Amino acid sequence: MNLRIFKALAVAAPLLVAAAACTDPTVAPKSTVTGANIWNDPNSYAEYMAKLYGGLVLTGQIGPNGPGGEGDISQIDEGTSEYLRLNWYLQELPTDEAVIGWNDPGVPDLNLWTWTSTNTIANAMYYRVYYQVVLANEFLRQTTASLLASRGVSTTLKTQIQQYRAEARFLRALAYWNGIDFFGGIPFVTEADPVGGPPPKEAARDSIYRYVVSELSAIKDSLPLPSAAVYGRATTMAAHMLLAELYLNAGVYTGTANYAGALTEAGTVINSGYYSLNPVFHNNFTSDNNLSPEIIFAALEDGSHTQTWGGMTFLVHAGCGGSMQASWFGMDYCWGGYRMKQQARRQFSAGDARGAFIYGRQTAIDSTTAERMRDSVAGKAKSSWTAVDSSVTDSVINIGSYNYGAAGPKFTNKTSTGGPGSQTTMIDTDFPIFRLGEAYLIYAEAAVRTNTNLATALGYFNALRQRAYGNASANIASAANMTTDTLLAERTRELLFEGKRRTDLIRFGKFTGGSYLWAWKGNTPGGAATDAHFNLYPLPANELSANPNLTQNPGY
Amino acid sequence: MRRAGFITGALLAVLCAVPLRAQQTAATVRGQVVDDATKQPIAGAQVSVAGRTALSGADGRYVISGVRAGSDTVRARRIGYAPATQAVTVLGNATVVADFSLSPQAVGLAEIVVTGYGTQSAGDITGAVSQISAEEFNTGTIATPQLLIQDKVAGVQVLDNNQPGGGLSIRIRGATSVNASSEPLYVIDGMPVGTGAGGGLSAGRDPLNFLNPNDIASITVLKDASSAAIYGANAANGVVLITTKSGSGGRHGTQIEYTTTFSSSSVTRTPQLLNATQFRAAVAANAPSKSTLLGSANTNWYDQIDRTGYGTDQNLSVTSSGDNTFYRLSLGYFDQQGIIQQSATQRLSLGFNYDQRLFNDRLDLKANVKGSRAFDTFQAGDVLGNATGMAPTQPVYDPTNATGYWDWPTNQSGPSNPVASLKRSVSQGTTWRSVGNVQAEYRLPFVANLKANVNLGYDLTQANSANFQPNNLAFQIRQNQGFLSLSNNSQTNEVVEAYLNYAAPLNFVPGNIDLTGGYSYSQSHGEYPYFQETGLPSNLLGINGISVGGASVIQNSTNIVDYKLISWFGRFNWNLNDRYLLAASVRRDGSSRFGPGNQWGTFPSVSLAWRVSEEPLLKDIRALTDLKIRASWAKTGNQAFADYQQYPTYTYSNGQAQYYFNGQYTTTIRPSAVDPAIHWETTNSYNVGLDFAFFRNRLSGSFDWYTKKTTDLIFTVPVAAGTNFSNLVTQNIGSMRNTGVELSLSAKILEAQRSGLGWTADFTIAHNANKLLTINGSNGVTQIQVGGTGSATGQTIQVLQPGYAINSFLVCQQAYQSGKPVQNTYVLPNGTTTTGCTSADWRPYKSPWPSLELGHTSSFTYSNFDFGFTLRASLGNYVYNNIAANGGSYQNITSGNVWPANIDASVLKTGFTAPQWLSDYYVQDASFLRMDNITLGYSFNVSGRRWRVYATVQNAFTITGYQGVDPTAAENGVGIDSNIYPRSRTFTGGLSVRF
């Protein structure tokens, strides 16, 4: 070889390399994991699933929230953007159950029925639904057999991932259920739609309903069976329970009722043998409620590791106010948030353990002379209540003042034995999404509406009442007494503040219209009839400008 | 070394060859052209002898080689000066020195203006450029360079947050961006120091305050895009060129200068709150049950946290100017206490400029090194908010409390004792920064008028912050049980630039050309480790120790960020008979911040100027000294956004955002939503201007009209649900426009003859209108709510909405009854009133941006006295008075679960029982007139040494209808006044002496 050429090359090569460096501005991130390499870590599959489940209670990557702007959902306060807190606002505030005096964006409009397509809460819920859907889709895309093979994933992990895939599809189904329940017809995206693709088409409410039903039917047996080891995870029974919820409301979602389906699915859950009623009702809502045999599916919270300003942290703190002591609930201080409306409060009778937590008024209460609504529930006349302040009533005359309406601190950060949670700001209590008590009520309602299995239904119905009263004294005598009105009232007592109320009222035909009025319905203190378009929340105004394929729900 | 050897060899060869062929060799004529009056060098002077011509450099020096022997006349001419000639006799192969001292005809035109990659004389400038030199700088207590030019340049808004040592931001002709930075690019002695606020990293309040203002010789603001376009993708917000003082061009010899100042600052205004008596009455009337909670004290909490702040600035410099060696060495110490206790800034700075001329001035080597240590302390925790909220009836101290300070019990939320926060918490930052460069300018042999420039620069910063709040502060008992955070951020930036410059008269067509072309490479490496722990087991260690074992929550992170910018640039200037001027430039930038396929952007500019006054027809009008019409167009970019935006990244959760999965608390991972096609924001600007001077420069000024449209504006906008990992994705979408006019006038009203009175008055007037055009591409309509107020959770008060200025307020129109606002009652556009302010009723209303800004400086001289003042007025700027909005209702004392908090005094007028956050009542006109600076000085000689003593009052007074603390400091001009740092009035006395 010509030595000069060789030498020239030896000089030129580094120069060329240097020249390339001097003309190529590309810099790849060093200290951040990117989409290009994340899946090279076998742990990432479980970590991604933790994110997907965590989407139910966590709001971002810094718990309980980042210094600003780091939340999963933007354009809303991060703490408020939590899945179950949004769900709770939308399911409870416009109904006969709850009111909140805060002026946080979007909240007053829900109290007063003045929400529009820019309502912060409804918008955030919509995006929270799709956040879950998109996360699940990405997981399904990234865990196809061929991709797993190309990454050399171990066979053990591959088996695990198969189950993860079913769980991801469950969580997507859960999100889509909330989506069609709140918003009707919505965009439809699956793992077949790539990230950054064109705006998706809108699918009709019933078509997404059918998709969700088919998904759940397809995956239910790939999901694990309930056990302490999979507490908090999507199980076969959780899938049956979600199917029961879907069938129960099929009439609303599709126009064709399917109470028989609901009866079957609820029956499957009840008869599976995995669950039993917690003998102490209240222990479903304590910081050790993970031990309750009644919970079918729950979002898991932990004061130390799973911190959020939503979920139970919100429910426990916001349920305490007035002169109530935060320490009664094992926490640092009260937020003075939601109270009961009189319509819900007055459905509780004396002796019902489910009403034992209800306080009559919020001023001048201390731990010894706690003047609780159970005094009135016990039949005492208002005049005999201790130190009656006539300015204080259980009627929500004034939303802004905590003095009006009854406090109902159903949830607590104390354990069933009165012990403390792991800390006082962040709550340990898990959020029960499905529990056996509700399965009983679904069964009872489906039986009544299909006029079948009434004796069994009556048994389930009375089981709840017997637990509430500690004896059979308040049992109802015959299945004939299980009218739709009794069923709806029983749902108030059993499921108060559990985030299902609006769906129930719609199914019973009482959410809009004038057949049932409650405080502030239709923006009047005494309640007024409302238009049927309120049965759906509006699609976000921002979404309509970003996705030209969508049509706004009527009336907005 | 090889190159230098080659050059030396070549020169020796030339010298050795000369005697042999004496009759054929040519001589060299060299020299310096200086201003007769100021003795400052004149650049760009055309010097010719025997048919050969050269232009003088920035230092005024010129070299003409190849001159044939004999007697001849050297001519020097420069626009704005009377031409001069000098007879010389040139001997073969010798070098003859011919220095010129030109007498100015119109000083303004001859002034050397620093431009990107070069200098120009003011007369040749075709764009809108303002240069402020040291004599015109603001005086007094000046911590950061930006304050030197506050009020001095039309269209340049210097926004101050009132704190000692900065937190300044500059808007040149309005904000051009929403989500990227709107700060200009700063270039210090040719070294770009990064984009974003102040350029670079800091643990203090302002990144630029590493630079000692006393070391600055001039600040040039490239306002219009055509002047700035040579900086391409960093130029959209304008460019600020800072030139530091050097030895060259000064008086021959060594000179020592010492300056010292002492200052005292006091508070001008604090929030108007209820005093103890008023507060007691309010509680008795509105929440009688809480009267028992009130203490018997009478505490003005602001009096407890503020102070008279003292400061000093000491500067010593040595300047040496020789034949070929010039240097300046400076040492500075600046120390200023803030008017809120614990807030202060200190800076120790060292500067060294060295300039060496070699090889008959062919090679000019310059080294500039600046280094400083800045130490900033802050009032830790929400001291101002707590001083606003703490009840005036409570005492400061409580001997029964373990901490010694009185505080509300912590079982309910409420304000905490600000004095306890101040005295017991620590918040501080130490910034070590050094910026320096070596520049070599070499006049190439063989090709006359061709210069090669190499610039090697660095910018190193180490910024350490520490924050500590003890675990038994009331706030910490409620929230974190103690807090410690430490960060040790560092950043290294390097720049390599090489460019060629050819400036010469043309022989075939009339006029001169000036061509520049080059390459620039810059890279940045940053490391950002951060440590935080809460739940401290003990307060003993403060910021000095980490108690990981006992802390309940620990956050650790480190982040490494690299960045590259590679550029090619070129510029062509053509000066035809000093009458027609043309400039064109282009820069091609490749940035690591642009996504694949978008890595390179091209940024061209063209500008033209016509010096009408040089036309034969007008030349004889004696009153008209100068008249120039300018027009320019340019496209510039803005890439001042975060790195790695185009990469989908995964973020791990911290230990508090885990989820119980597979039997353990599992860290979660989150994919980011990105648009890989992200790229620079583009601004297309047009500028038409007029420069004029009358009566031998007694009256001069300029007028400019501009419009600039920014497109591809980066917005984080809603994307169709289901298509990305967030409901918002950052994309190049949206556009805005800034249109404005500027007028500057300078009048020498009285010219100081010997011992007479001199008076110079400068005026600036600027109007800018900002309008957001689109924020979501073609989809239009949507609005983005911004401007969090911190009142209700997630409450915002401003909006980005097409058709309105950015950050317009989004409020309801307050209804009034007999002059008093009616609670919860608002006026709809149709004139009817409504109860409540729901989202459907919100309207964009006013904005924080002034419609008119006026500045005036008057300087008087009489005998040895000098006196000057600077006035500033701002009209049409609005501020949301968040202290009044959030704290101006009786709900502060009536609401349950919180301890009674003090109330804004506006409640006495409104009587509100609940906050009316969204009422336009709180969007208040913050127009103002402020006497920014009054200075009186006296100069005298003592045994041949020049002394000057002076006294300055900064912020002498402010006249405004705004009811809050300060109309200017609201969130750096974004218009929300939430417990801002109060403004101070500062008295400074100073002394300087030259040896």
Side-chain angles (χ1 to χ4, degrees), chain A residues 365-406:
Chain A
I365 293 179
D366 60 43
S367 54
T368 50
T369 64
E371 182 190 358
R372 300 181 175 197
M373 188 50 71
R374 64 182 158 196
D375 288 354
S376 75
V377 173
K380 286 190 193 169
K382 188 177 172 185
S383 56
S384 73
W385 296 355
T386 336
V388 166
D389 179 345
S390 60
S391 71
V392 175
T393 78
D394 73 331
S395 295
V396 187
I397 303 162
N398 177 341
I399 294 177
S401 166
Y402 206 82
N403 286 353
Y404 301 100

Side-chain angles (χ1 to χ4, degrees), chain B residues 550-615:
Chain B
S552 62
V553 180
I554 293 153
Q555 286 178 25
N556 257 316
S557 67
T558 184
N559 200 10
I560 297 174
V561 176
D562 287 287
Y563 155 74
K564 248 193 223 185
L565 180 72
I566 297 172
S567 319
W568 302 91
F569 55 86
R571 179 172 51 207
F572 169 68
N573 286 346
W574 184 29
N575 174 342
L576 180 59
N577 292 342
D578 288 339
R579 241 186 279 167
Y580 310 104
L581 305 163
L582 166 76
S585 75
V586 64
R587 180 162 173 135
R588 188 158 165 76
D589 274 320
S591 167
S592 63
R593 289 193 184 134
F594 308 157
N598 292 298
Q599 282 182 321
W600 291 90
T602 305
F603 304 94
S605 84
V606 183
S607 54
L608 292 163
W610 176 26
R611 296 200 55 234
V612 185
S613 54
E614 291 297 298
E615 292 293 338

